[in-house]
Amino acid sequence: MSRRVVSAEVKRRAIERVAKGETVTSVARSLGFNRQRLYEWQEQVRRGGLEALRGPGRPRKSGLDGPPLSSAILNEGAAARRRIAELERKIGEQQADLDFFRQALRHVKARQQAGAKPGVLRSGKSSKR
């Protein structure tokens, strides 16, 4: 079975749709392609940018037609995953800090209670009135 020739614009739009959140399966189905082709195009963009999506034959001097696909759109998912990992790490650090201070407070309260004798009032700060 021979592969049909797909224009760079169709490839670019398909990759852009996937980058914006559509599933590879739904994009492939709507365009009539195998999912593997979209994965191949994504890999080409990852390795060589949008210029790697050009069709077979001699490349045009003007580059791709249409608006350029920003790398921010392509990396949006990866950036979100990095941000989530960073926030989860921060939450873990804060939880460790809270555990430390809770344990320290328990320790201080236990020492205070051990030092106090039953029936004896402890002295506090003088009011100096």
Side-chain angles (χ1 to χ4, degrees):
M1 183 165 133
S2 67
R3 287 184 157 189
R4 66 181 186 199
V5 177
V6 181
S7 73
E9 181 62 22
V10 170
K11 293 177 186 180
R12 187 188 65 75
R13 285 187 182 162
I15 295 299
E16 187 174 26
R17 286 173 59 186
V18 172
K20 287 182 178 178
E22 282 189 63
T23 64
V24 172
T25 303
S26 67
V27 173
R29 200 172 283 146
S30 71
L31 295 174
F33 294 118
N34 187 327
R35 288 179 324 142
Q36 187 59 38
R37 300 240 2 229
L38 284 173
Y39 288 119
E40 290 170 5
W41 298 341
Q42 281 182 320
E43 182 63 21
Q44 288 173 354
V45 169
R46 190 185 67 75
R47 287 185 178 184
L50 289 175
E51 189 60 35
L53 286 180
R54 68 175 185 80
R58 189 174 190 168
R60 294 181 182 171
K61 291 184 180 181
S62 65
L64 289 176
D65 294 335
L69 182 62
S70 70
S71 61
I73 291 173
L74 292 175
N75 295 326
E76 191 173 298
R81 285 188 293 277
R82 281 193 302 271
R83 179 70 175 149
I84 289 169
E86 176 188 340
L87 292 173
E88 287 176 342
R89 180 189 54 77
K90 233 178 214 181
I91 289 170
E93 288 174 358
Q94 290 175 344
Q95 187 62 47
D97 289 346
L98 282 173
D99 292 342
F100 171 79
F101 287 117
R102 282 187 186 127
Q103 185 65 29
L105 183 60
R106 280 191 212 113
H107 183 69
V108 168
K109 284 184 178 180
R111 288 185 109 193
Q112 286 176 347
Q113 288 175 353
K117 295 181 183 169
V120 177
L121 293 175
R122 294 188 312 209
S123 63
K125 277 187 161 179
S126 65
S127 63
K128 294 188 181 182
R129 284 190 187 179

